[in-house]
Amino acid sequence: MLPDFELSCSEFESAGLTLTPELYKKLDTYAEFLIEYNNNVNLTAITDPAEVLRKHFIDSILLSKYAKIPQNAAVIDIGTGAGFPSVPLKLYRPDISITLLDSLNKRIVFLQQLCDKLEISADFIHGRAENISKKPEYREKFDISCARAVANMSLLSELCIPFVTVGGLFLAMKGPSENVSCGTNAVELLGGQITDTAEYDLFDEKRRIVIVKKISQTPTKYPRNSSQIKKRSL
Ligand code: SAM
């Protein structure tokens, strides 16, 4: 399924990462299940195994190279889809705990079966981030919230920052064409501060991770409800 071990190793090495035989086996199982499941349920537009390796697995794992993820961190992945970035990250960094949140239940059902197959533990939440972060059991309870390809920086900040404990991080994985400055005001209103933007190449494509530190509690009026969020960005 994935390119053979030697080739996959050299792909990892060129991204500055290490691939062990155990990790390769798990990622191979992940790729096979993802591509097969995707025939019936829409999970991803990327179905070529070599592309899955680069654009889903290596891209997700690079989060741990460019952002400092503390040992045993509790990570919530907002709009995780088919598990990106947090499932490959958990395979690479088994010390972290992951919570997978998505508004589409068919994706949560896939993720539950996937994590069983990969023999990794995870928590699953089906719901909209703006509703779930209002619940006391999830509000400001995570060391890290992360997201890739979910929304613009302003909206994404409102979806992600309320989950983070003061002192924790919100990590936004962004493409080259996205305007991240539109999120500056939202980040501040929600209790965050942009501390860094890591820029790097994913093979021949540019990528960025906006690193936001939570410096004060999120005011209880945020996040606003879905219709207000849609009407006006912060
Ligand atoms: N993060 C994955 C990736 O990088 O491949 C999936 C990206 S996909 C384009 C966006 C995902 O975000 C979808 O699975 C969608 O259901 C979910 N989503 C969008 N808005 C959301 C919200 N407000 N709360 C929770 N999930 C949301």
Side-chain angles (χ1 to χ4, degrees), residues 43 56 77-85 101-104 107 127-130 147-150 159:
L43 296 167
H56 282 326
D77 187 356
I78 307 300
T80 183
F84 307 119
L101 183 151
D102 204 280
S103 54
L104 275 187
R107 301 207 164 126
R128 298 197 66 84
E130 59 272 37
R148 189 187 80 156
V150 176
L159 299 183

Side-chain angles (χ1 to χ4, degrees), residues 24 26 36 51 58 62 70 79 81 104 110 135 138 145 149 151 153 156 162-163 166 175 196 203 209 211 226 229:
Y24 175 75
K26 297 258 181 187
E36 183 198 304
E51 296 270 288
I58 292 178
L62 280 173
L104 275 187
F110 162 78
K135 300 188 179 200
Y138 299 118
S145 71
M153 190 63 194
L156 196 62
F163 287 99
V166 174
D196 199 6
F203 301 93
I209 299 170
I211 300 172
S226 302
I229 288 178

Side-chain angles (χ1 to χ4, degrees), residues 77-192:
D77 187 356
I78 307 300
T80 183
F84 307 119
S86 60
V87 175
L89 205 57
K90 169 79 180 167
L91 294 172
Y92 197 73
R93 283 278 309 269
D95 60 286
I96 64 168
S97 62
I98 56 169
T99 298
L100 307 172
L101 183 151
D102 204 280
S103 54
L104 275 187
N105 198 43
K106 63 179 182 179
R107 301 207 164 126
I108 296 295
V109 170
F110 162 78
L111 291 166
Q112 285 167 327
Q113 293 178 38
L114 172 72
C115 290
D116 271 357
K117 269 188 192 295
L118 296 175
E119 299 175 322
I120 55 172
S121 64
D123 290 322
F124 305 92
I125 306 175
H126 168 224
R128 298 197 66 84
E130 59 272 37
N131 300 334
I132 302 296
S133 69
K134 295 241 180 257
K135 300 188 179 200
E137 65 267 40
Y138 299 118
R139 194 169 181 93
E140 305 198 316
K141 290 289 189 285
F142 295 88
D143 302 305
I144 293 187
S145 71
C146 60
R148 189 187 80 156
V150 176
N152 71 46
M153 190 63 194
S154 172
L155 170 52
L156 196 62
S157 299
E158 197 164 358
L159 299 183
C160 292
I161 293 177
F163 287 99
V164 183
T165 183
V166 174
L169 299 174
F170 157 45
L171 305 174
M173 302 180 76
K174 293 280 165 200
S177 57
E178 290 182 80
N179 166 14
V180 293
S181 60
C182 74
T184 312
N185 191 44
V187 166
E188 250 177 59
L189 289 174
L190 292 153

Side-chain angles (χ1 to χ4, degrees), residues 46-71:
I46 298 170
T47 52
D48 171 56
E51 296 270 288
V52 169
L53 181 71
R54 285 183 166 195
K55 295 189 174 169
H56 282 326
F57 296 161
I58 292 178
D59 190 32
S60 294
I61 292 170
L62 280 173
L63 189 62
S64 66
K65 179 176 170 193
Y66 292 106
K68 211 168 175 358
I69 299 182
Q71 276 289 310

